[in-house]
Amino acid sequence: MTWPSIKPLDKQPLISGPATTKYKSVSWEGKTDEEPEVYDETPHGSNWGAYFNLVCIMAGSGVLQLPFCLRQGGWIGLGSIALCSYIAYYSGVLLIKCLYVDGKRLNNLAEVGQITYGNVGRALVNFFTGTMLFGSSALFFILASSNFRQLFHETLPSITGTHWIILCTMLIWPPFVFMKTLKEVAILSFFGAFSTLIMVFIVLVTGMMDLPHYSDANHEYVNWMAFPSVLASIGFSFGGNSVFPHVEHGMGKRKDWPKVLRNALLTVFAMYFVTAFVGYYVYGDTVESPILKTLPSGLCLNFAIVVITAHVLLTNPILLASLSLEAEHAMKIDRIHMSCGRELLSRVAFRSLMLGSSAFVAINLPYFAEVVTLLGAVSNSMLIFVSIIGCACSVVACTNWHLPLPTKVIPIVFNNHLFGGPTALSRKAWETVVVLIGFMSCGFGTYTACLSLYEKINEGR
């Protein structure tokens, strides 16, 4: 799928301050005094198509971690899933709102960061997005390696996780390196959601069958010490903010975005809730991450492993291509600045290095649960809260608090800086709570994930 071209943004200075901003945004209820001149009003995709794409984007391998999240944090983790899904909805609505400024529509988060805080804002958005994409690629290598070992531990016991990662790297190297661009087609998105749905169904069925054998499973109601890392892991499961602009751009009725996003998140929430509840209720403190390691051997489990492994191997080149295209553009690796042969050699060398780096990280940090938590804490917490933190700055202005420097330079203050914060006290309080949760998840979640990784590395020596 190719997206229609977008008019370039007028280079006009931004008047800072919520009370003096000159920009107007699209009102989803249609209550603005003046409608923005949107670059293209030709109908594109349907709301159902956008809903389907959103479900496919968000319903991914993060579901494999959720029962283990409840093992870490207790039953309160179910409430955390609901909380993260609502925060993902709230930030997704504000994120799209921030794309519409001064009657124009920006392409992506990086451009919003550019107009909000210049090159610093753009660089930070690219950093968090790049970290998420690169880390997810390494995570997919870890998951594929673990799945292969689980499938062939009896027939190929001498093949280690490192060998499987190298094999996976060789499998995806040709399409990633030699295809100049990789588009996420509908069938691949469907395959990702289909694999998640299979996983939910298998957990539900096998869990109910195993329930009599785990009648003495132990459960906790709440473990506050693990709450930040649990939020980070669950937040990773609701990732997809960086793709939201593309989905909304393809909608024929763009003002229906909040409704479509809400319905998609309700669907993903239902799948996640069932998996987390059944997995933890049946297996209790014996559940592992990914949950595939806990389920009993058999044809159903093997089928789920094959489908999920195929999904991560097909998705991995797309994640890396999304990252490499931006870097290649910055390094001028294209036909405009290079000859055909030089451009090909440069692209092959750069992408081979990127793919090898991802595999290197996976080989040296083959710990699925800890890497999920670290990714969720370092990057996805910032991306999910990317549109909300700025709104909370209006609370700071009213209460004379002083936030630390990161809240002023991280490109997450977009909404407040462009349009001003909310006026209702209840919304100000809610956004402040979300900001605190986001930074707690980022700070404490990163600390606990790094500590767990350090312990795992020492155990493996």
Side-chain angles (χ1 to χ4, degrees):
M1 177 182 293
T2 58
W3 305 107
S5 59
I6 297 176
K7 288 182 181 179
L9 182 69
D10 292 341
K11 304 298 183 181
Q12 298 175 342
L14 177 67
I15 304 175
S16 62
T20 59
T21 179
K22 61 175 289 186
Y23 293 109
K24 295 181 175 60
S25 68
V26 174
S27 172
W28 304 113
E29 295 81 13
K31 295 179 180 178
T32 51
D33 296 331
E34 127 180 34
E35 286 291 323
E37 181 187 352
V38 182
Y39 56 91
D40 182 10
E41 285 299 332
T42 304
H44 301 293
S46 65
N47 287 358
W48 278 107
Y51 161 82
F52 178 74
N53 284 332
L54 287 171
V55 173
C56 292
I57 288 166
M58 289 183 287
S61 58
V63 70
L64 304 175
Q65 171 86 348
L66 294 178
F68 184 76
C69 289
L70 267 63
R71 171 185 167 179
Q72 290 180 308
W75 285 117
I76 195 176
L78 293 176
S80 300
I81 296 175
L83 176 64
C84 286
S85 64
Y86 182 75
I87 291 175
Y89 164 75
Y90 193 83
S91 66
V93 172
L94 290 184
L95 186 155
I96 297 301
K97 176 185 175 184
C98 290
L99 295 178
Y100 292 88
V101 292
D102 198 29
K104 303 294 191 302
R105 184 191 187 277
L106 305 179
N107 285 290
N108 49 44
L109 287 176
E111 292 189 2
V112 180
Q114 179 77 44
I115 195 174
T116 308
Y117 285 112
N119 292 331
V120 173
R122 187 184 191 96
L124 286 173
V125 168
N126 287 332
F127 168 77
F128 287 116
T129 304
T131 301
M132 190 66 187
L133 293 173
F134 183 83
S136 296
S137 172
L139 180 68
F140 283 178
F141 276 131
I142 296 171
L143 181 58
S145 169
S146 175
N147 289 348
F148 277 127
R149 279 184 294 164
Q150 190 169 351
L151 277 176
F152 299 106
H153 69 282
E154 293 182 354
T155 56
L156 298 172
S158 60
I159 305 297
T160 65
T162 299
H163 295 142
W164 284 120
I165 291 175
I166 294 173
L167 177 61
C168 293
T169 305
M170 295 172 62
L171 286 173
I172 70 174
W173 184 80
F176 170 60
V177 169
F178 290 105
M179 293 180 68
K180 194 168 185 178
T181 60
L182 290 171
K183 301 297 183 182
E184 188 170 2
V185 295
I187 187 64
L188 188 57
S189 297
F190 170 78
F191 195 65
F194 179 66
S195 64
T196 304
L197 190 60
I198 288 176
M199 192 66 249
V200 173
F201 178 76
I202 289 179
V203 169
L204 179 60
V205 173
T206 57
M208 293 299 98
M209 294 174 62
D210 274 352
L211 185 57
H213 305 102
Y214 289 86
S215 57
D216 58 345
N218 296 321
H219 305 90
E220 282 190 63
Y221 285 101
V222 59
N223 179 7
W224 292 113
M225 295 300 296
F227 186 68
S229 59
V230 168
L231 273 178
S233 299
I234 295 174
F236 173 83
S237 303
F238 286 96
N241 291 47
S242 58
V243 189
F244 285 178
H246 298 290
V247 177
E248 185 266 351
H249 176 230
M251 293 176 57
K253 299 179 180 178
R254 298 190 184 98
K255 288 188 178 181
D256 288 342
W257 167 256
K259 179 176 65 177
V260 173
L261 178 62
R262 180 195 63 206
N263 293 337
L265 280 165
L266 285 174
T267 303
V268 175
F269 167 76
M271 290 193 290
Y272 285 179
F273 188 92
V274 170
T275 305
F277 176 82
V278 174
Y280 185 58
Y281 179 75
V282 174
Y283 302 106
D285 58 2
T286 64
V287 70
E288 297 184 61
S289 177
I291 194 176
L292 297 172
K293 294 181 178 179
T294 308
L295 299 179
S297 301
L299 183 61
C300 290
L301 177 60
N302 290 340
F303 177 67
I305 291 176
V306 169
V307 171
I308 290 173
T309 304
H311 164 58
V312 298
L313 289 179
L314 289 170
T315 306
N316 210 338
I318 294 176
L319 292 175
L320 289 176
S322 302
L323 180 59
S324 63
L325 286 171
E326 183 75 20
E328 289 165 9
H329 175 74
M331 294 186 294
K332 299 181 179 180
I333 302 177
D334 52 43
R335 293 291 299 276
I336 298 176
H337 300 90
M338 296 182 177
S339 64
C340 180
R342 185 182 175 190
E343 185 263 345
L344 176 62
L345 290 176
S346 299
R347 188 175 73 250
V348 169
F350 176 73
R351 294 195 178 191
S352 298
L353 178 63
M354 179 175 291
L355 185 62
S357 301
S358 177
F360 178 81
V361 171
I363 289 172
N364 288 276
L365 298 174
Y367 313 110
F368 181 82
E370 288 75 17
V371 173
V372 167
T373 303
L374 184 61
L375 275 178
V378 171
S379 56
N380 208 57
S381 292
M382 293 294 98
L383 291 175
I384 284 183
F385 306 111
V386 74
S387 305
I388 298 182
I389 292 180
C391 303
C393 291
S394 60
V395 183
V396 178
C398 294
T399 57
N400 293 320
W401 294 349
H402 296 282
L403 289 180
L405 180 63
T407 61
K408 298 183 182 297
V409 298
I410 294 177
I412 304 176
V413 298
F414 301 158
N415 187 72
N416 181 75
H417 213 83
L418 293 175
F419 310 119
T423 56
L425 182 60
S426 59
R427 283 190 62 189
K428 291 179 181 179
W430 157 249
E431 289 165 357
T432 303
V433 170
V434 171
V435 172
L436 294 176
I437 291 175
F439 276 102
M440 179 183 68
S441 177
C442 182
F444 290 99
T446 301
Y447 172 77
T448 55
C450 289
L451 187 62
S452 297
L453 276 175
Y454 178 77
E455 293 173 353
K456 288 282 187 178
I457 292 172
N458 285 337
E459 290 175 5
R461 288 177 178 174

